[in-house]
Each structure stands twice: as C-alpha cells, then as structure tokens.
C-alpha cells in the first residue's frame, strides 16, 4: 500500500497569509500584535519550537518577546510573571512553553494567564470553555490535528479515532475537538494495558504521548490514517515523532511527517490566535 504524506506546509502557508494581512492592518492602525513567550526550561525540543515561533512571528509582523525564567524557576516566579503580563496592556497574547521545571505542574501556574490572552488554551478556564463547547482559545496543537485532517479531505464524522496521549495540552483537548466533529474517540495512554488492542481497530490514530517510536506498524490497522504529534530529540540531535515511520509506511493509508506535518500548522494557528487576541483587545 502506498502511504500518503499528510504534510502541513501548504495549509500553514494559507493560514499565515491571512495572519500576515491582519497583523499588518493592526500595525498600520497603531501597534503590532504582541506575544509574550514565557520559557522556564532548557529542553532541546522546546528550544527548537520556541525558536521556530519567534521566526514565524517576525515573518508575520508579530512582536514576540521571549522571557526566560530559567529551568529552576519556582511556581511562584512563573505565576508572578504570568500575572504581570496578563495585566500589561501592551501584551496581547501569552504563551507558557512546556516542559516546566521539576515539581511545577501546568495546573499550578496556568490559571494566572488571563483567558483573553491565553492563545494556546492551557488555562483551566480555556479548557473549561472547550469542554462546554463555548468560544475560547483552543490548544494550537490539538486544533492543528483537526485542521490537517480536514485539509487533506479525511472525514471525521462517524470515524473511530484513537488518541494516544492524555495531556491537558494535546490529548484531552484533541479528544474534545474530535467529539465535536462527531468522531467516536478512544483515549489511550502510558498505562493502557494493551495499546495495540485499542489502536488497531481505529480508522485514525493520533500519537501524542511524547515517546519516540511508541506507535509502530504493529499498532496500526491496514489502511489507517496516522497523525504523529511527537517532537522528540533523536540521538543525532534531530527532531523525531512518536511514530516509527518505517514500520508504519506501507501499512497506513496516510502518515503525517515529523517535521513538516502537524508542526507548521500548530505554529500557524498559534500566530493566528495572537492576531485574534489583538483584534479583540482593540475592538
């Protein structure tokens, strides 16, 4: 079986073109949309993603300030920074990059992000809006998975989908988004007793657990669509996903590459969210 590559570059380019035009309009009217990017780690994969965000913002006419709190920052320090940026009228949007320092959970600090500036949808308030089906910012990676599938003409209504991963930033919100598209969703995770038993029946499998090679050809039913959300550091310093692409290729009908699949769309959607936040704050 030929396995189609579900690239995200074309979709990301279309989103970015719209974002750049809207950012330009805001800048012409007064001030460029501004993103405060809070970082409290020294993780290589995180550094790669943060750098890609800053470059994307620059290309699109969005001001992006990185605030590095250090890999040993306390929950109190992180919350204080998020609170200050939430109250700062010159900041339109806030993103807290993960992972966080040892002993600090996202739940410990994310509530300090004002909902109107929570462009990656990580606060309890934003996640509550999503669960209730109300308007709010959705985690960009989760939204990117849905948009990528739609872009490539892959129907979701009535399909069996297994999401491998249950984080508050990808797995859980993605399950909510897929349910809203009328998919039938199973969420698996690191403690699922028999992972293959819940992935092989699925028509669509999304790997979002943050573990290199977790999903292999043995976990995929013939003709399934596989979306790889993972961004893990490989032994050679490159970025690889959660899917063993070599064993899946030839068995899956389609596979999103890493890099070049979900990643570009995630970044594009996050930048769009920044512009939307700026538009709302200046309306």
């Amino acid at each position: 079986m030929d396995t189609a590559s579900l690239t995200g570059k074309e979709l990301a380019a279309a989103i970015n073109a719209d974002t750049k035009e809207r950012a330009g309009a805001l800048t012409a009217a007064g001030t460029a949309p501004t993103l405060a990017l809070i970082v409290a780690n020294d993780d290589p994969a995180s550094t790669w993603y943060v750098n890609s965000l800053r470059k994307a913002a620059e290309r699109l006419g969005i001001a992006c300030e990185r605030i590095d709190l250090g890999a040993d920052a306390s929950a109190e320090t992180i919350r204080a920074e998020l609170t200050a940026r939430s109250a700062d009228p010159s900041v339109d949007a806030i993103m807290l990059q993960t992972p966080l320092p040892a002993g600090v959970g996202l739940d410990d600090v994310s509530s300090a992000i004002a909902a109107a500036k929570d462009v990656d949808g990580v606060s309890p308030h934003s996640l509550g809006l999503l669960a209730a089906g109300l308007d709010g910012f959705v985690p960009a990676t989760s939204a990117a998975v849905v948009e990528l599938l739609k872009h490539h003409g892959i129907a979701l209504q009535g399909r069996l989908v297994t999401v491998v991963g249950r984080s508050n930033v990808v797995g859980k919100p993605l399950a909510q988004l897929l349910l809203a598209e009328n998919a039938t969703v199973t969420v698996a995770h690191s403690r699922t007793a028999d992972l293959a038993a819940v992935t092989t029946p699925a028509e669509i499998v999304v790997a979002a657990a943050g573990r290199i090679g977790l999903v292999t050809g043995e976990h995929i039913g013939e003709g399934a669509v596989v979306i790889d959300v993972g961004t893990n550091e490989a032994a050679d310093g490159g970025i690889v996903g959660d899917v063993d692409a070599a064993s899946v290729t030839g068995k899956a009908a389609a596979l999103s590459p890493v890099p070049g699949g979900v990643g570009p769309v995630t970044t594009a959607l996050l930048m769009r969210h920044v512009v939307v936040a700026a538009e709302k704050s200046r309306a």
Side-chain angles (χ1 to χ4, degrees), residues 163-167 170-171 188-190 195 206-212 214-215 228-232 242:
V163 177
V164 183
R166 57 178 172 175
S167 72
V170 183
H189 46 78
S190 61
L195 183 60
V206 182
R211 299 172 70 175
I212 295 175
L214 175 65
V215 174
D228 192 349
V229 179
T231 52
N232 310 292
D242 289 1

Side-chain angles (χ1 to χ4, degrees), residues 13 39 41 44 75 102 203 213:
V39 182
N41 66 63
E203 297 165 276

Side-chain angles (χ1 to χ4, degrees), residues 112-150:
I113 306 174
K117 299 184 180 185
D118 183 22
V119 290
D120 207 19
V122 298
S123 74
H125 183 78
S126 296
L127 292 170
L129 291 173
L130 172 60
L134 301 176
D135 185 44
F137 287 115
V138 174
T141 302
S142 301
V145 171
V146 175
E147 293 302 316
L148 186 66
L149 288 166
K150 289 182 176 180

Side-chain angles (χ1 to χ4, degrees), residues 24 28 38 41 45 74 87 101 112 116 139 141 144 146-147 161 164 174 193 214 227 229 234-235 239 247 270 280:
I38 314 297
N41 66 63
S74 66
T141 302
V146 175
E147 293 302 316
V161 184
V164 183
L174 175 56
L214 175 65
I227 302 295
V229 179
I239 299 297
S247 65
L270 183 60
K280 289 182 176 180

